[in-house]
Amino acid sequence: MSNTSNALPSRARAFHSWRRSLLLIAGALLVILNLGSYGAGISWDLTKGNRYSINEGTIAIFQRLESPVLVRYSISRERPKYLANLERDVIARLTTFANAIGRQHFDFDPVRDVKVIDNTSAASGEMNARGISPHVVSGEGGAFQFYSTLEVTMIDAARPALIDLTTTASLEYDLVSAVVRMRTEKRRPAGIEATIKALTRTFDISYIYGGREGGPMPVERAVMAGEIANMLTGIANLSDKVRFRADNSPTSRLRGALKPTADLVQATDPNNQRGMAYSIFYYSGIVIDSGRGQPMVLSDIKEASDALIKAVVDQLWELDAKRPIVGVYEPRAPLRPELARAERFVQYGPPSLSTEQRIQALIERMGYDVLPETVTSVRGISPEIEALVLVRPGSLHPREVYELRTYLASGGRILLLHGTWHAPLMDRALDFNAEHNGDPSAFFLSGDAANQLAFARVEASLADTLRDYGVDTAPGILLGGESSHAFRVYGPAPKLRDLHYGDPIPYRAASPINPWAVRAEARPALSASVEALNLRGASTLSLNQARLSELGLEHEVILVTPPDSRLLAVPETQASVVIDYRQSGVDDLSAMLVPQLNGNWQAAAPEPAGGRPVALRLRGQFPFDPSLAPPPFAEERTTAPGELFRPSPGELIVVNAPDCAETIDFQGWKPGETALLGGSDQLADASMRSLLANALDSFIHGEELIDVRRSLVPEPRRLKAWTLAERQLWTIVNALLLPLIYAALVGWLLWRRYQRRVRHETRVGLR
Amino acid sequence: MNALTMRELRSQLLSPIGLVLVCGFSIAMTLLGLYVMPRSGAGDWFDQKSLTMNTFFAAFPWCAAVILPAVTMRTWAEDARAGTDQLLMTLPMPLWKQVLAKFAACKLFLFAMLLATAPYMVMVVLESGQTGSGAEWGPVLAGYLGCMLLGSTFLAIGMFTSALTSSQVTAYVASLLVCAGLVSWTSFAGVAAGSASGGDVFSQVLLYLSVSGHFENIALGLVRLDALVWFISLASFFLILNIVVLEGRRYR
């Protein structure tokens, strides 16, 4: 007994000791294993395209940099609910980059480099000074502004790159793109002399001075002019890349680039002893011409100072920066005369920048210099440009088409935003009226019978060229104005009371169509961030395989119409007409309109057209016959045929979407129907930038960025909306199907068990 | 050990409470995943046309914190109340094997509960297959892996609390509080750290302790080694505590 009673406490003590040791060891192992695994940083990204990991190409690009990339993120504390986690997500991604790339190449500290802005309006001055613009979202309470921008700088770069962020989906690519572009910019030396000597381009500096209309300059200004001329001569003497001349000729053509400067002079009239003030006008300005694009002008110079010299040198360095140049083609030929009258007939909403202007602004924001490209008689397409962008080129002169073909066949790269030519809907001067041919009274807008609207079909003048390359385009349909709707169709509708006007008037409602394109599986790189592109009135392309094979051109489809190409449903109560743009095989528009019982008109859709190309890329030696004489412009002398032709493989990307725009929501998705952007040009531009950036970066920077782009695979999304029946079905199936099966199985097993027990009890006589 | 596992599993699966738990879990996950979790001003899961299971997996920690303690509350507490724990102590099977056997049974029951949500996965995969990008299996399978890991951790916690008491209710409540505390740890850690991300060591440690943080990454398809180690080590630690508590009963 005493042995047992003594054994128990000793065994208990042993147990307690064992327990203590075990828990200590277990706790220590817990900590050590976790520390070790955290430090190892091993992870497996099971998403398509390794969405949450950094691409190996990205790491390689950053690690090849000679100086680190510095990143600073500014975000407003007050922002839309959709973006509640944006700050956290961006910081997490940037921290991941820093850890993977190494802080010596990617310098980011979440505490030091993240600025959360408490008051967006108060910060606007500082942000504007840094070139950062707020995002604007339209809501019920009006416009709402917030900041969410990443500034990327490199020591060697001339200026920071700005990346607007509403999602982290393409953050990696945007960062890499910015860095790759900034790599081409060189570091400015210290001091004026070193800067001038480092210039690589040749500049012509002209100092324009003198009185207006041949009159004298004020005496003190004449002295100033001499001093300025001496200073600029000193700059020119530093380098043979800078040529200077002082020009005081009254007939100098450069005076047209300046505005006259005025000095206010107080004088006393000797005759009546009264004072009077008057202005003396003269010219005093500097024109800096780099031979590329428009010259830089410094006007209204009233002082020969160090600040002036610094401004001149700054401009020289700015112009000398080796940023790739993208030409944006401006058609030279006059518009169709009847369409020139369009503006006075139709006005859609507030005026906004044209698509061409928006695209130019976007390209500049992407870090490229934009050169407006106009075909002249001798020069052809400028050899300086890296790529040429054509935006909805309609009504091209045959000579322009000739030059474009020469350029492409000589190794040029063209991004063609093709499709229907754009103009406000016109009156019966055009050749088609969907409802009543020749009878303008059938259509009117807002009660004004003078505004008559119809359809018109326009052949884009590059159609023959593209056909020669093996790509067929369908005839286009005019779009309506600068509206945010994809496509407006006007047709007969029952009379409705118009709330704005108060009187019952025949009223035309327009229903937006948002035709789709989705990326093609074969080569998603160029459309990696484009799950569905919101096209506007585009139609599909078709490939002539025989012709492509004959020419030996490589081709890849970038965007296709989605599998589900059914007509979009129109609510029965809506007095509107919807036309499916994808009916590109239909020639007669009137055949497309089928009257419905409710008085609406609905277009008949052909068989589903999924998988048809909307954007594609061609590469190789484009055909060109150098013996063909170039069609002359009216004013030029004869030019030798094929003078500028040097055969070389070129590249052509055709996007059959003239607006080339996507709307995005704040989760990085691009819905067609939901106007989440609410008319925000900035965000619409950001979505347009995706496809533009893909194409231009692939032209200019090559495959380096393509590999990074290829890794950007967005989360899958359903294209069409769920119907109520589908929602109900899946909710019930998800919640109850297997549990009910399980319950039935359990019930059956229990029933069998009960049956067995009853049989047993019966057998042994218990029942 | 297998016999004990199967016995426990049968008693759970073939009992009314097991049926209620499976049905309740399936219904709760469906409703939360489709209609409650996606609410960010952009509508429910159907409105957002998302074809991921992100919201489904986002609902799992909370569902698990409420339902899994009910699975484990009677593991040891019932035996302690009925006095049959003495039998367990005298079985020829070591106590740690018994703990592992019951743990395995609970995990298999958890697997059955997750299996009941398979239609959700089928729906997502079927719809994804019809888009241009195709079905994305990685995040789906990773999400279920995360559910098993997180669920196993909660089961281990539940078994530990069940071993501490003879009252099933007490075991349930204690386990619920611990599990819910772990799930909501991220919010607390964020406040304590003073920023959403935090760059200092203290903030990083606090955030690392969050099971939600680890689980979210796995559910997105990014499986990190430290997350795997965290879940496995935490579950193992609570199983060890479970064994220690049961062994300690011998000496009361």
PDB file of all heavy atoms in Angstrom, chain A residues 2 17 174 201 204 236 239 321 326 342 409 426 476 491 547 549 678 696 704 724 732:
ATOM      1  N   SER A   2       1.792   1.266   0.876  1.00  0.00           N
ATOM      2  CA  SER A   2       2.663   2.449   0.943  1.00  0.00           C
ATOM      3  C   SER A   2       3.482   2.542  -0.320  1.00  0.00           C
ATOM      4  O   SER A   2       3.715   3.640  -0.839  1.00  0.00           O
ATOM      5  CB  SER A   2       3.566   2.363   2.169  1.00  0.00           C
ATOM      6  OG  SER A   2       4.380   1.208   2.068  1.00  0.00           O
ATOM      7  N   SER A  17       6.615  16.310 -15.285  1.00  0.00           N
ATOM      8  CA  SER A  17       7.911  16.649 -15.891  1.00  0.00           C
ATOM      9  C   SER A  17       7.892  16.332 -17.376  1.00  0.00           C
ATOM     10  O   SER A  17       8.345  17.132 -18.216  1.00  0.00           O
ATOM     11  CB  SER A  17       9.011  15.865 -15.171  1.00  0.00           C
ATOM     12  OG  SER A  17      10.205  15.986 -15.874  1.00  0.00           O
ATOM     13  N   ASP A 174       2.388  46.709 -65.990  1.00  0.00           N
ATOM     14  CA  ASP A 174       2.518  48.159 -66.056  1.00  0.00           C
ATOM     15  C   ASP A 174       3.862  48.607 -65.503  1.00  0.00           C
ATOM     16  O   ASP A 174       4.526  49.495 -66.063  1.00  0.00           O
ATOM     17  CB  ASP A 174       1.385  48.822 -65.261  1.00  0.00           C
ATOM     18  CG  ASP A 174       0.041  48.645 -65.944  1.00  0.00           C
ATOM     19  OD1 ASP A 174       0.022  48.401 -67.167  1.00  0.00           O
ATOM     20  OD2 ASP A 174      -0.994  48.738 -65.251  1.00  0.00           O
ATOM     21  N   ARG A 201      21.103  64.861 -80.669  1.00  0.00           N
ATOM     22  CA  ARG A 201      20.423  65.360 -81.845  1.00  0.00           C
ATOM     23  C   ARG A 201      20.983  66.731 -82.207  1.00  0.00           C
ATOM     24  O   ARG A 201      21.644  67.374 -81.400  1.00  0.00           O
ATOM     25  CB  ARG A 201      18.922  65.502 -81.585  1.00  0.00           C
ATOM     26  CG  ARG A 201      18.225  64.203 -81.287  1.00  0.00           C
ATOM     27  CD  ARG A 201      16.735  64.461 -81.083  1.00  0.00           C
ATOM     28  NE  ARG A 201      16.069  63.275 -80.592  1.00  0.00           N
ATOM     29  CZ  ARG A 201      15.648  62.288 -81.377  1.00  0.00           C
ATOM     30  NH1 ARG A 201      15.827  62.364 -82.678  1.00  0.00           N
ATOM     31  NH2 ARG A 201      15.063  61.237 -80.870  1.00  0.00           N
ATOM     32  N   ASP A 204      18.318  73.467 -83.997  1.00  0.00           N
ATOM     33  CA  ASP A 204      18.407  74.828 -84.531  1.00  0.00           C
ATOM     34  C   ASP A 204      17.684  75.756 -83.578  1.00  0.00           C
ATOM     35  O   ASP A 204      16.479  75.616 -83.366  1.00  0.00           O
ATOM     36  CB  ASP A 204      17.750  74.911 -85.922  1.00  0.00           C
ATOM     37  CG  ASP A 204      18.569  74.192 -86.967  1.00  0.00           C
ATOM     38  OD1 ASP A 204      19.768  74.519 -87.088  1.00  0.00           O
ATOM     39  OD2 ASP A 204      18.021  73.296 -87.645  1.00  0.00           O
ATOM     40  N   ALA A 236      25.678  77.745 -78.266  1.00  0.00           N
ATOM     41  CA  ALA A 236      25.915  77.066 -79.548  1.00  0.00           C
ATOM     42  C   ALA A 236      27.390  76.719 -79.729  1.00  0.00           C
ATOM     43  O   ALA A 236      27.742  75.721 -80.364  1.00  0.00           O
ATOM     44  CB  ALA A 236      25.422  77.939 -80.698  1.00  0.00           C
ATOM     45  N   SER A 239      28.820  73.151 -78.573  1.00  0.00           N
ATOM     46  CA  SER A 239      28.651  71.876 -79.283  1.00  0.00           C
ATOM     47  C   SER A 239      28.223  72.144 -80.707  1.00  0.00           C
ATOM     48  O   SER A 239      27.443  73.062 -80.969  1.00  0.00           O
ATOM     49  CB  SER A 239      27.593  71.022 -78.583  1.00  0.00           C
ATOM     50  OG  SER A 239      27.240  69.911 -79.384  1.00  0.00           O
ATOM     51  N   ALA A 321      15.699  63.602 -75.514  1.00  0.00           N
ATOM     52  CA  ALA A 321      15.446  62.307 -74.867  1.00  0.00           C
ATOM     53  C   ALA A 321      15.060  61.277 -75.913  1.00  0.00           C
ATOM     54  O   ALA A 321      14.251  61.523 -76.791  1.00  0.00           O
ATOM     55  CB  ALA A 321      14.334  62.453 -73.835  1.00  0.00           C
ATOM     56  N   VAL A 326       6.002  57.380 -81.817  1.00  0.00           N
ATOM     57  CA  VAL A 326       4.875  56.703 -82.466  1.00  0.00           C
ATOM     58  C   VAL A 326       4.154  57.737 -83.318  1.00  0.00           C
ATOM     59  O   VAL A 326       3.822  58.819 -82.845  1.00  0.00           O
ATOM     60  CB  VAL A 326       3.914  56.117 -81.412  1.00  0.00           C
ATOM     61  CG1 VAL A 326       2.668  55.556 -82.085  1.00  0.00           C
ATOM     62  CG2 VAL A 326       4.625  55.032 -80.611  1.00  0.00           C
ATOM     63  N   ALA A 342     -22.348  67.534 -90.887  1.00  0.00           N
ATOM     64  CA  ALA A 342     -22.969  66.745 -89.821  1.00  0.00           C
ATOM     65  C   ALA A 342     -23.141  67.522 -88.538  1.00  0.00           C
ATOM     66  O   ALA A 342     -24.139  67.437 -87.867  1.00  0.00           O
ATOM     67  CB  ALA A 342     -22.141  65.496 -89.574  1.00  0.00           C
ATOM     68  N   ALA A 409       5.545  47.557 -96.373  1.00  0.00           N
ATOM     69  CA  ALA A 409       6.389  46.623 -97.131  1.00  0.00           C
ATOM     70  C   ALA A 409       7.869  46.911 -96.938  1.00  0.00           C
ATOM     71  O   ALA A 409       8.714  46.090 -97.309  1.00  0.00           O
ATOM     72  CB  ALA A 409       6.041  46.691 -98.616  1.00  0.00           C
ATOM     73  N   MET A 426     -26.488  61.143 -90.106  1.00  0.00           N
ATOM     74  CA  MET A 426     -26.790  62.212 -91.055  1.00  0.00           C
ATOM     75  C   MET A 426     -28.211  62.121 -91.567  1.00  0.00           C
ATOM     76  O   MET A 426     -28.930  61.189 -91.348  1.00  0.00           O
ATOM     77  CB  MET A 426     -25.821  62.121 -92.228  1.00  0.00           C
ATOM     78  CG  MET A 426     -24.537  62.862 -91.971  1.00  0.00           C
ATOM     79  SD  MET A 426     -24.863  64.597 -91.635  1.00  0.00           S
ATOM     80  CE  MET A 426     -25.548  65.093 -93.206  1.00  0.00           C
ATOM     81  N   GLY A 476     -18.961  48.856 -93.274  1.00  0.00           N
ATOM     82  CA  GLY A 476     -19.225  49.426 -91.968  1.00  0.00           C
ATOM     83  C   GLY A 476     -20.541  50.156 -91.906  1.00  0.00           C
ATOM     84  O   GLY A 476     -21.220  50.361 -92.896  1.00  0.00           O
ATOM     85  N   GLY A 491     -35.563  54.072 -84.824  1.00  0.00           N
ATOM     86  CA  GLY A 491     -36.608  53.439 -85.609  1.00  0.00           C
ATOM     87  C   GLY A 491     -37.957  53.854 -85.084  1.00  0.00           C
ATOM     88  O   GLY A 491     -38.066  54.612 -84.132  1.00  0.00           O
ATOM     89  N   ARG A 547      -4.786  33.340 -99.625  1.00  0.00           N
ATOM     90  CA  ARG A 547      -3.987  34.528 -99.915  1.00  0.00           C
ATOM     91  C   ARG A 547      -2.855  34.691 -98.898  1.00  0.00           C
ATOM     92  O   ARG A 547      -1.730  35.043 -99.262  1.00  0.00           O
ATOM     93  CB  ARG A 547      -4.898  35.773 -99.891  1.00  0.00           C
ATOM     94  CG  ARG A 547      -4.195  37.086-100.143  1.00  0.00           C
ATOM     95  CD  ARG A 547      -3.586  37.152-101.513  1.00  0.00           C
ATOM     96  NE  ARG A 547      -2.962  38.450-101.739  1.00  0.00           N
ATOM     97  CZ  ARG A 547      -2.010  38.668-102.642  1.00  0.00           C
ATOM     98  NH1 ARG A 547      -1.577  37.654-103.400  1.00  0.00           N
ATOM     99  NH2 ARG A 547      -1.495  39.867-102.804  1.00  0.00           N
ATOM    100  N   SER A 549      -1.356  32.355 -97.295  1.00  0.00           N
ATOM    101  CA  SER A 549      -0.330  31.351 -97.603  1.00  0.00           C
ATOM    102  C   SER A 549       0.477  31.769 -98.808  1.00  0.00           C
ATOM    103  O   SER A 549       1.702  31.607 -98.841  1.00  0.00           O
ATOM    104  CB  SER A 549      -0.982  29.996 -97.869  1.00  0.00           C
ATOM    105  OG  SER A 549      -1.677  29.571 -96.741  1.00  0.00           O
ATOM    106  N   GLY A 678     -19.326  55.529 -65.712  1.00  0.00           N
ATOM    107  CA  GLY A 678     -20.166  56.716 -65.672  1.00  0.00           C
ATOM    108  C   GLY A 678     -19.586  57.883 -66.422  1.00  0.00           C
ATOM    109  O   GLY A 678     -19.666  59.019 -65.992  1.00  0.00           O
ATOM    110  N   LEU A 696       1.693  48.395 -79.030  1.00  0.00           N
ATOM    111  CA  LEU A 696       2.851  49.262 -79.232  1.00  0.00           C
ATOM    112  C   LEU A 696       4.087  48.731 -78.521  1.00  0.00           C
ATOM    113  O   LEU A 696       5.187  48.767 -79.058  1.00  0.00           O
ATOM    114  CB  LEU A 696       2.536  50.678 -78.748  1.00  0.00           C
ATOM    115  CG  LEU A 696       1.504  51.416 -79.589  1.00  0.00           C
ATOM    116  CD1 LEU A 696       1.239  52.795 -79.027  1.00  0.00           C
ATOM    117  CD2 LEU A 696       1.961  51.529 -81.041  1.00  0.00           C
ATOM    118  N   GLU A 704      10.162  40.851 -75.053  1.00  0.00           N
ATOM    119  CA  GLU A 704      10.502  40.994 -73.630  1.00  0.00           C
ATOM    120  C   GLU A 704       9.259  41.231 -72.787  1.00  0.00           C
ATOM    121  O   GLU A 704       9.046  40.615 -71.755  1.00  0.00           O
ATOM    122  CB  GLU A 704      11.457  42.182 -73.485  1.00  0.00           C
ATOM    123  CG  GLU A 704      12.199  42.237 -72.167  1.00  0.00           C
ATOM    124  CD  GLU A 704      13.247  43.330 -72.206  1.00  0.00           C
ATOM    125  OE1 GLU A 704      12.954  44.442 -72.683  1.00  0.00           O
ATOM    126  OE2 GLU A 704      14.361  43.055 -71.747  1.00  0.00           O
ATOM    127  N   LEU A 724     -32.908  34.430 -63.859  1.00  0.00           N
ATOM    128  CA  LEU A 724     -33.483  34.125 -62.550  1.00  0.00           C
ATOM    129  C   LEU A 724     -33.608  32.614 -62.360  1.00  0.00           C
ATOM    130  O   LEU A 724     -33.342  32.079 -61.282  1.00  0.00           O
ATOM    131  CB  LEU A 724     -34.850  34.801 -62.429  1.00  0.00           C
ATOM    132  CG  LEU A 724     -35.564  34.598 -61.099  1.00  0.00           C
ATOM    133  CD1 LEU A 724     -34.724  35.174 -59.964  1.00  0.00           C
ATOM    134  CD2 LEU A 724     -36.948  35.265 -61.130  1.00  0.00           C
ATOM    135  N   ILE A 732     -30.477  26.053 -55.275  1.00  0.00           N
ATOM    136  CA  ILE A 732     -31.087  24.864 -54.685  1.00  0.00           C
ATOM    137  C   ILE A 732     -30.163  23.654 -54.837  1.00  0.00           C
ATOM    138  O   ILE A 732     -29.969  22.869 -53.903  1.00  0.00           O
ATOM    139  CB  ILE A 732     -32.458  24.596 -55.331  1.00  0.00           C
ATOM    140  CG1 ILE A 732     -33.427  25.709 -54.944  1.00  0.00           C
ATOM    141  CG2 ILE A 732     -33.015  23.237 -54.917  1.00  0.00           C
ATOM    142  CD1 ILE A 732     -34.730  25.685 -55.689  1.00  0.00           C
TER     143      ILE A 732
END
